[in-house]
Amino acid sequence: QREPKTEWFKITGSISQQYFNEFASKKSKVSDTGIEYTLRKEQEEAVDITAAYYKHGGDEFLWNCKPRFGKTLSAYDLVRTMKFQRVLVVTNRPSIANSWADDFQTFIGWRQPRMLFVSDSDALKGKDGVFTRDQYIDYCLKNGSKDIPYIGFESLQNLKGSIFFGGKIDKLEWIVKTHFDLLIVDESQEGVDTKKTERAFKEIQRDHTLYLSGTPFKQLAEGRFSSSQIYNWTYADEQQAKTTWHSDTINPYERLPKLSMFTYQISPMLTGQLKQGIDFSEDEHRDYAFDLNEFFSTKEYGKFVHEEEIKKFLHALSTQEKYPFSTPELRKQLAHTMWYMNRVSSAKALANMLKDDPVFCEYKVVIAAGNVKQNNEISETENQKQTNAYNLVKETIENCDKTITITVGQLTVGVTIPKWSGVLMLCNLKSPSAYMQAAFRAQNPCTFTDADGKRYMKETAYVFDFDPARTLVIYDQFANDLMQDTTNDSGTTEDRKKNIKRLLNFFPVLGEDDQGAMIELDAAKVLSI
């Protein structure tokens, strides 16, 4: 209630707090007029540089921008800046369809001149504000317009299944008959370097192509893009911008958590002493033969081969001081985590074991398990499974104070689960792209409310690994292979060391020394190991 002709309103403290909490947790409804947005400086730069490149006749451009950069919103802003009328988004991960549709409805769809979001993807079937192709045609006829501007969204798998793009099913003829202003290839590090994909893309008529990726290791190594065709924004760039912000205005990077990596050796967790592995206190190289996939292998009837050792592993995680779940404070900080494994059978066996563990029995366990092929292509059935898993995880986190999501490849790319604050690497994942995509699932900004009603911001996100040699090989690749000067083993040792040193400033790595104490590693140690 407002006092007439004043700026004073009558409201109680409790109601005011309630309204604030609803707004801060994004439970309040978006108004019909949508939400205005302001791009960060680097997002503006990406749009401006790309737009200038296209206006001067350029065709292909790559955004090599860290996961959580905001590529979806920035791409929409590019569409608005260039006044594109017909845009097609294609991705190998249709589970991210909701992100594209939600951002469109929130920031773009309500604006004038009107654009529509058009998709026949199963992941978006029945979603408010999403038009099928037939519904789009009907809408145009009813509004007396032949061609209302639109964003089209399709999965790479659906596209390649069409007879018009090399498949066997009579569908998506409208795409092959349309000349697009822009083709956007999201998560372009996946599934786009096969002959089938190349053939499909050749059939898409377009003026420009924009590739989006947070981890384009292969594309940079192949030298497909020149420096004038790439916009780079790394995790180190982001965190440096966060720490050097000096303006009086709100720091737009403040909400973006810092990453920390802890890498452990399984052997001392099980025996209490070092028996094998890498000694971080010496430069001497030692063989490291521990195999995480073997450690979590299962028998034919679903039980772990090394069941007693895994029980000891879980006990160490929740009781020994340096491990992630050893105190109530740490468990509070890691209330929602993702655990990455390599087999569905291992995921199920671990879920069963967690139920019987005296500490982890308090966590609701969700299994997000699917089979991803060698070339990272995902079947249509897996697409639906990933969408179902995403919805299940979000719903479980909303209703449970503590959760563990065990994944076998699902929900590790392009999805946003804000309350995840840690990722445990429990498999022999060797791909730097897949590893870092999974790691960054924990870096989403998030504000929590505890049982006492106290609110706090996620300041640090964690990666826990149990294969020290693999950890550091991938760390070196992440620091150097996304930089044009040092990718594909180019550049001097000093150049690589400099890049690692810069990354360590914002993404520290802690490993065990010969006494079992956790020490922070420097650039020389990372390189030598």
Side-chain angles (χ1 to χ4, degrees):
Q1 182 182 342
R2 181 177 182 177
E3 292 186 16
K5 300 180 181 180
T6 75
E7 295 182 9
W8 290 91
F9 296 79
K10 183 178 180 181
I11 188 169
T12 65
S14 60
I15 295 297
S16 177
Q17 181 74 50
Q18 176 191 330
Y19 288 168
F20 173 78
N21 288 343
E22 287 176 359
F23 169 75
S25 62
K26 295 185 179 179
K27 289 181 181 177
S28 54
K29 292 182 180 179
V30 177
S31 69
D32 293 337
T33 54
I35 293 177
E36 292 289 349
Y37 64 86
T38 301
L39 296 183
R40 298 190 303 272
K41 180 183 176 183
E42 68 276 7
Q43 292 172 322
E44 281 186 358
E45 283 182 353
V47 171
D48 292 345
I49 291 171
T50 309
Y53 179 77
Y54 287 159
K55 287 174 182 176
H56 287 87
D59 50 4
E60 293 190 329
F61 204 90
L62 168 67
W63 286 359
N64 168 29
C65 300
K66 64 165 288 290
R68 321 321 315 147
F69 171 81
K71 292 184 280 291
T72 303
L73 179 58
S74 301
Y76 281 144
D77 193 77
L78 175 66
V79 170
R80 292 182 62 214
T81 298
M82 297 290 292
K83 295 182 170 57
F84 289 145
Q85 305 293 297
R86 294 174 299 279
V87 178
L88 179 64
V89 180
V90 176
T91 180
N92 187 53
R93 291 269 176 170
S95 56
I96 66 177
N98 282 289
S99 296
W100 280 93
D102 290 344
D103 278 5
F104 180 85
Q105 297 301 334
T106 303
F107 300 111
I108 306 298
W110 54 275
R111 298 176 183 277
Q112 297 296 331
R114 184 95 190 267
M115 286 192 89
L116 301 179
F117 193 95
V118 181
S119 177
D120 289 318
S121 171
D122 288 339
L124 294 171
K125 194 170 287 183
K127 188 176 179 70
D128 288 344
V130 175
F131 289 73
T132 65
R133 179 63 183 176
D134 289 341
Q135 289 171 337
Y136 168 77
I137 293 171
D138 290 342
Y139 186 88
C140 289
L141 290 173
K142 288 176 183 177
N143 287 272
S145 176
K146 184 180 179 182
D147 193 10
I148 295 175
Y150 62 86
I151 302 287
F153 184 95
E154 268 306 331
S155 74
L156 193 53
Q157 298 79 2
N158 207 29
L159 198 70
K160 290 188 292 187
S162 163
I163 58 173
F164 303 101
F165 297 94
K168 299 179 180 179
I169 304 173
D170 187 0
K171 59 182 179 180
L172 303 181
E173 182 179 7
W174 72 272
I175 292 181
V176 82
K177 287 185 174 181
T178 302
H179 188 102
F180 294 96
D181 299 310
L182 177 68
L183 169 66
I184 299 174
V185 185
D186 196 13
E187 302 300 346
S188 64
Q189 75 278 359
E190 289 193 326
V192 298
D193 55 353
T194 66
K195 290 182 179 179
K196 284 185 178 181
T197 302
E198 289 175 5
R199 177 181 174 181
F201 281 173
K202 282 181 181 178
E203 299 297 328
I204 300 176
Q205 305 173 68
R206 75 273 195 184
D207 294 328
H208 310 289
T209 307
L210 177 63
Y211 295 92
L212 308 179
S213 179
T215 52
F217 290 94
K218 187 178 292 186
Q219 289 153 302
L220 292 178
E222 291 173 349
R224 175 176 173 179
F225 299 92
S226 68
S227 58
S228 63
Q229 293 175 281
I230 303 176
Y231 181 78
N232 299 292
W233 183 258
T234 67
Y235 166 78
D237 291 332
E238 170 195 275
Q239 293 296 310
Q240 184 163 346
K242 176 180 176 178
T243 57
T244 57
W245 185 264
H246 293 307
S247 171
D248 291 335
T249 58
I250 293 174
N251 185 342
Y253 308 97
E254 188 65 34
R255 295 176 64 243
L256 300 172
K258 177 181 179 179
L259 277 170
S260 284
M261 181 179 285
F262 289 74
T263 184
Y264 305 98
Q265 299 173 58
I266 292 278
S267 183
M269 294 181 72
L270 307 183
T271 64
Q273 60 183 345
L274 288 175
K275 284 190 176 180
Q276 59 183 20
I278 293 175
D279 181 352
F280 284 119
S281 65
E282 301 174 7
D283 289 332
E284 175 192 355
H285 174 76
R286 299 188 183 187
D287 289 332
Y288 190 76
F290 188 84
D291 188 315
L292 281 168
N293 291 351
E294 168 58 29
F295 183 66
F296 289 104
S297 62
T298 57
K299 301 173 184 176
E300 289 183 5
Y301 48 88
K303 292 281 188 178
F304 282 121
V305 173
H306 307 286
E307 188 161 342
E308 291 306 312
E309 286 80 3
I310 293 171
K311 287 180 181 177
K312 291 179 182 178
F313 168 76
L314 294 177
H315 181 70
L317 280 183
S318 61
T319 60
Q320 295 185 28
E321 184 180 358
K322 62 189 173 186
Y323 298 120
F325 298 92
S326 56
T327 67
E329 291 74 24
L330 290 174
R331 291 171 204 160
K332 178 181 175 182
Q333 200 166 357
L334 295 167
H336 305 282
T337 54
M338 180 181 82
W339 298 21
Y340 201 148
M341 305 189 79
N342 80 310
R343 297 183 189 91
V344 175
S345 60
S346 300
K348 291 178 178 178
L350 185 60
N352 288 331
M353 190 172 283
L354 289 170
K355 292 176 185 177
D356 297 328
D357 184 271
V359 172
F360 292 112
C361 66
E362 299 177 1
Y363 293 73
K364 180 68 175 177
V365 179
V366 180
I367 299 178
N371 297 318
V372 180
K373 297 180 182 178
Q374 288 293 323
N375 59 5
N376 286 326
E377 292 194 32
I378 306 168
S379 69
E380 279 296 313
T381 303
E382 290 306 323
N383 290 339
Q384 191 57 49
K385 285 182 180 178
Q386 295 219 22
T387 302
N388 294 342
Y390 173 76
N391 293 332
L392 177 60
V393 170
K394 284 189 68 176
E395 182 181 336
T396 304
I397 288 176
E398 281 297 313
N399 296 317
C400 302
D401 293 332
K402 296 179 182 179
T403 69
I404 292 172
T405 301
I406 305 177
T407 181
V408 187
Q410 287 189 7
L411 309 183
T412 58
V413 177
V415 299
T416 299
I417 308 288
K419 288 191 176 181
W420 278 345
S421 53
V423 175
L424 276 70
M425 297 294 185
L426 303 179
C427 62
N428 289 353
L429 195 61
K430 293 293 193 292
S431 162
S433 177
Y435 186 104
M436 284 301 173
Q437 285 286 349
F440 273 92
R441 292 317 100 200
Q443 210 231 345
N444 296 294
C446 187
T447 303
F448 300 90
T449 304
D450 63 19
D452 299 324
K454 184 179 179 181
R455 298 180 66 80
Y456 60 96
M457 187 170 62
K458 186 202 302 182
E459 295 183 357
T460 305
Y462 297 93
V463 183
F464 302 102
D465 202 345
F466 301 88
D467 183 345
R470 184 268 306 274
T471 304
L472 300 184
V473 168
I474 286 181
Y475 194 91
D476 172 28
Q477 292 170 319
F478 184 60
N480 287 295
D481 288 358
L482 294 178
M483 311 288 285
Q484 282 183 292
D485 292 340
T486 50
T487 189
N488 210 18
D489 292 328
S490 58
T492 65
T493 301
E494 197 56 38
D495 291 334
R496 299 183 74 84
K497 184 176 178 180
K498 182 179 178 182
N499 288 339
I500 292 173
K501 186 175 181 180
R502 180 172 185 246
L503 184 59
L504 284 169
N505 286 333
F506 308 111
F507 190 178
V509 179
L510 290 91
E512 296 166 289
D513 67 7
D514 59 342
Q515 301 301 314
M518 299 301 289
I519 61 170
E520 195 166 327
L521 307 186
D522 60 23
K525 194 68 66 179
V526 171
L527 272 176
S528 67
I529 294 167

